[in-house]
Amino acid sequence: MTKGRLADGEFDFIIVGGGTAGLVVANRLTEDPHISVLVLEAGTDKLKDAKITTPGLLTLTYDDPQYDWSFDTVPQRLIAQENLYGKSVSHSRGKVIGGSSAINALALIYPPRSSIDAWERLGNKGWNWDTLAPYYRKFHTFNRPSKETAEALGTGYIDEKVQGTSGPIQSSFPEFHGPLGKAWPETFKNLNFPLHSDPLSGESSGGFSYLSTVDPKNWERSHAGSAYYSPVAARPNLQLLSESMVEKVIFEKRSDGTVAAKGISFVHNGAQSVQTAKKEVILCAGAIQSPQLLEVSGIGNSALLQSYNIEVVLDNPHVGENLQDHPMTGISFEVIDGLPTIDMIRDPQVIQGAMEAYQASRQGPLTSGFHSVASLPVVEFLSEEGRSELSRLLDTNIKSTSPSAEPSVSKQHTILRSVLESPSESSVIIGMGASQMHFDKSLQKDIYAITEPENYVSFLVALAQPFSRGSVHIKSASISDPPDIDPRYLSHPLDLEILARHVKYIPTIAATEPLASLIKDGGRRLPDGIDLDSLDSAKEYCKRNIITNNHPCGTCAMLPLEQGGVTDSRLRVYWVEGLRVVDASIFPMIPRGNIQSSVYAVAERAADLIKEDWGITA
């Protein structure tokens, strides 16, 4: 039930954050009618809002405070190289029921087995691909495309035996697609990078058309709010209170020295309230706000907390550390005259026609978002000479770690080295979007703005598993003040070496058929003045044009305490009874690919762990 005020009495569980993970956990726990759950969401109820439900309007929510927290990083200045010119990078995070799953780019891309097995290698017993694979299937239902779409987008790689059949989130391929989407998988076949297996098998590399979180029954976005919450909103044991900002977790310090989470304080409609939990408080506020909430509540680095006059409940300097993300850049190429792209909606008649087609019959370009991606190794490193250069770079730079880095970083880097050394693994995700992008801008709305008169196709290059590590920390005692977000993009020299080489490969992709015939000979490239003639110039380009793929994670890491952990392998906060974290902040290492699928899978498994711990059988 969504109500304007709280029902009387205590709840068994209080979930902070009605986003991707929080609504999964709320749904699963309240399957038992005897378990009561309160979800507190700072954002608003926009479940019926066209900007969220309509796939093709996804960029309209970015940097709009009605939908988006619109966080900015601190100015990014490199440690090991020259600076990133003081550029702050905008991060979009969902501020609505459904969280970031309600405003993201709809991508349902699964990580490889190696990304998840790495979590167990770091000390988290039972967190491996074989354990998590059933949860990747549990959260979604695969919808078979039409024969025409299957042929056009090359979806023959799908193995329905590993796809989900009964999960809440609906996955589908777009029935509206153009020449660019059809050309994508064929181009990578010609580059000798075809996709050989369904990514949900745990093994994948090459170029392919990916699934989107769109329900083909009505061609609307399928997200945590619409799929996990709306169908069960009437459960009497579930209450969701939107526009409720949780200020801190309330703790009880016992005489034996132990600490227990007893509830939360929050503000709703200008009034401060306190709500207690009989069993647990579960933080699902995301990789930026979960560590922030821990710190303002008194769990974190004691020196930092004391500097803001926050009473120290527990001293754990690992809170907010280990921040990882997929830093991204790219190039836009002008397409041949007459080729339709999203840029055409600059014409009021075109967007009006698209809206009318969508509203009348759920057809046309607004039924889909992006759907083309590739995972590749560094092509330059595949030759014998290239492998020698890779070994030299790894030997020279693998120890380029800050003395203050988290204890697990060296283990993480060893795992990343093995990924780079394997020709079957990928170090980058390359995406294609049928529109112009402006990688030299900072705000999300400016990056996706249609400002140039020509039509474009954009190639986006994101580091799949970067070496750099950053942090998220409070800059005041108030939860209302955004924290300092410092991803330290490209601060590890290997990240720049890898990303620059992938960027240099973009023109090769653009010059390969059948994509090459769709790109205008002598046409513009964005941003203007691109120089990729040398590796040094490619590095300079990356430093000037870095943006984010909006995949922050790792800041409440699930790791052994002595290795930098904040949560244990059951996602319980160390030393605290009745407090868990369930969101991307617990990822010890960022998985390859868009993290939405992994957040859903982790939340599904977390719900089972919580049920096991409390003897909940439903």
Side-chain angles (χ1 to χ4, degrees):
M1 297 178 289
T2 304
K3 293 184 176 179
R5 65 180 184 84
L6 279 176
D8 294 332
E10 287 185 312
F11 293 84
D12 292 306
F13 296 92
I14 297 175
I15 295 174
V16 180
T20 311
L23 293 179
V24 173
V25 176
N27 177 301
R28 297 307 186 189
L29 292 182
T30 56
E31 290 173 336
D32 185 334
H34 302 102
I35 296 297
S36 59
V37 172
L38 169 65
V39 180
L40 293 171
E41 166 56 41
T44 55
D45 180 352
K46 293 190 178 296
L47 291 169
K48 302 298 183 182
D49 193 305
K51 290 183 181 179
I52 287 175
T53 60
T54 309
L57 299 181
L58 64 93
T59 62
L60 298 185
T61 62
Y62 296 159
D63 298 307
D64 185 334
Q66 294 185 75
Y67 306 86
D68 184 1
W69 285 99
S70 303
F71 291 115
D72 292 317
T73 70
V74 301
Q76 291 298 280
R77 293 182 172 86
L78 295 178
I79 304 302
Q81 295 90 23
E82 296 176 8
N83 67 45
L84 268 177
Y85 309 101
K87 180 178 181 179
S88 293
V89 179
S90 172
H91 275 252
S92 286
R93 314 305 303 153
K95 193 180 180 183
V96 293
I97 294 174
S100 294
S101 71
I103 70 166
N104 65 17
L106 307 157
L108 200 54
I109 299 173
Y110 299 99
R113 172 183 291 271
S114 59
S115 285
I116 305 304
D117 284 349
W119 296 2
E120 186 168 60
R121 291 175 63 184
L122 290 170
N124 299 298
K125 186 177 181 180
W127 285 90
N128 54 51
W129 176 261
D130 289 336
T131 300
L132 211 56
Y135 294 104
Y136 282 104
R137 293 191 289 273
K138 183 177 182 179
F139 80 76
H140 83 280
T141 295
F142 166 71
N143 293 273
R144 189 181 296 123
S146 68
K147 182 178 179 180
E148 177 190 3
T149 291
E151 292 177 353
L153 299 183
T155 68
Y157 70 85
I158 289 288
D159 179 358
E160 293 193 27
K161 295 191 299 295
V162 301
Q163 290 288 330
T165 59
S166 58
I169 298 297
Q170 302 299 307
S171 70
S172 65
F173 290 102
E175 293 295 329
F176 182 89
H177 39 76
L180 288 164
K182 183 177 181 179
W184 181 261
E186 292 301 316
T187 296
F188 281 89
K189 288 179 183 178
N190 292 335
L191 288 166
N192 294 317
F193 290 111
L195 184 72
H196 291 296
S197 60
D198 190 320
L200 253 183
S201 69
E203 309 293 339
S204 69
S205 64
F208 62 102
S209 303
Y210 61 80
L211 288 156
S212 297
T213 50
V214 176
D215 188 342
K217 290 188 291 294
N218 56 16
W219 294 108
E220 292 185 356
R221 178 191 291 269
S222 181
H223 63 93
S226 63
Y228 274 94
Y229 174 65
S230 291
V232 302
R235 285 178 181 169
N237 57 331
L238 172 62
Q239 184 168 356
L240 186 153
L241 198 63
S242 59
E243 300 178 69
S244 300
M245 188 72 170
V246 174
E247 295 183 307
K248 62 178 59 179
V249 180
I250 298 172
F251 297 105
E252 176 186 77
K253 288 187 175 181
R254 295 167 175 161
S255 57
D256 61 0
T258 60
V259 175
K262 304 305 293 182
I264 47 87
S265 65
F266 69 99
V267 174
H268 176 69
N269 288 337
Q272 188 178 57
S273 301
V274 171
Q275 184 66 43
T276 56
K278 289 187 284 187
K279 289 181 168 61
E280 289 188 12
V281 173
I282 306 171
L283 304 187
C284 302
I288 293 174
Q289 288 159 298
S290 282
Q292 180 191 18
L293 188 53
L294 285 177
E295 289 184 339
V296 298
S297 302
I299 297 179
N301 187 316
S302 59
L304 175 68
L305 305 186
Q306 289 167 351
S307 70
Y308 296 114
N309 296 316
I310 296 171
E311 179 185 357
V312 178
V313 177
L314 287 170
D315 178 17
N316 185 342
H318 310 312
V319 173
E321 295 294 318
N322 195 49
L323 173 63
Q324 298 160 62
D325 189 17
H326 289 139
M328 182 170 73
T329 188
I331 302 171
S332 295
F333 292 79
E334 185 181 355
V335 298
I336 58 174
D337 294 341
L339 185 70
T341 70
I342 296 172
D343 300 305
M344 294 171 65
I345 66 173
R346 69 169 74 82
D347 183 337
Q349 290 184 327
V350 172
I351 186 61
Q352 181 180 350
M355 289 295 296
E356 290 174 353
Y358 183 77
Q359 292 167 354
S361 57
R362 289 299 193 260
Q363 294 181 342
L366 297 184
T367 59
S368 68
F370 302 148
H371 55 266
S372 302
V373 75
S375 53
L376 301 180
V378 178
V379 176
E380 179 183 319
F381 292 158
L382 296 179
S383 67
E384 184 175 346
E385 181 181 354
R387 297 197 66 75
S388 296
E389 174 64 5
L390 172 61
S391 294
R392 184 193 69 79
L393 287 170
L394 292 172
D395 291 341
T396 302
N397 296 306
I398 202 69
K399 294 181 180 180
S400 296
T401 303
S402 167
S404 62
E406 291 295 281
S408 72
V409 167
S410 62
K411 290 185 177 181
Q412 294 182 41
H413 285 181
T414 298
I415 292 171
L416 294 178
R417 176 171 189 148
S418 69
V419 169
L420 286 172
E421 290 176 330
S422 172
S424 63
E425 294 283 359
S426 301
S427 56
V428 74
I429 296 293
I430 300 176
M432 180 183 73
S435 65
Q436 59 187 266
M437 292 183 65
H438 306 280
F439 299 95
D440 54 339
K441 304 299 182 183
S442 294
L443 292 178
Q444 297 282 323
K445 64 181 181 181
D446 295 334
I447 292 168
Y448 294 96
I450 301 173
T451 59
E452 303 304 306
E454 304 87 4
N455 290 355
Y456 291 85
V457 61
S458 296
F459 299 101
L460 302 80
V461 183
L463 279 177
Q465 291 184 294
F467 283 79
S468 302
R469 298 293 181 265
S471 63
V472 173
H473 290 299
I474 57 172
K475 56 186 178 185
S476 82
S478 172
I479 195 69
S480 298
D481 292 334
D484 274 336
I485 304 166
D486 187 4
R488 299 179 72 241
Y489 290 131
L490 308 182
S491 59
H492 195 286
L494 281 172
D495 285 348
L496 191 58
E497 296 284 353
I498 295 164
L499 185 61
R501 285 170 168 82
H502 282 299
V503 169
K504 276 180 62 65
Y505 190 65
I506 293 178
T508 300
I509 298 172
T512 302
E513 295 292 353
L515 271 176
S517 294
L518 303 176
I519 294 174
K520 191 172 187 176
D521 188 25
R524 286 184 68 190
R525 298 182 184 185
L526 300 178
D528 291 321
I530 295 171
D531 176 12
L532 301 178
D533 289 341
S534 68
L535 182 60
D536 284 342
S537 63
K539 289 178 181 179
E540 188 71 10
Y541 181 85
C542 292
K543 289 189 286 185
R544 286 184 178 274
N545 297 287
I546 203 75
I547 61 173
T548 176
N549 212 4
N550 290 305
H551 298 157
C553 61
T555 50
C556 296
M558 174 179 62
L559 285 167
L561 183 61
E562 66 276 10
Q563 289 296 314
V566 177
T567 53
D568 66 16
S569 60
R570 299 188 78 82
L571 311 186
R572 299 170 298 200
V573 175
Y574 282 113
W575 298 322
V576 184
E577 182 181 311
L579 182 61
R580 268 182 236 246
V581 182
V582 181
D583 55 36
S585 71
I586 67 93
F587 295 2
M589 284 183 68
I590 192 168
R592 190 183 85 197
N594 296 56
I595 66 172
Q596 174 177 221
S597 64
S598 295
V599 174
Y600 278 124
V602 165
E604 285 280 14
R605 184 166 191 235
D608 279 354
L609 294 175
I610 295 167
K611 287 181 175 182
E612 288 175 12
D613 289 348
W614 290 98
I616 302 170
T617 57

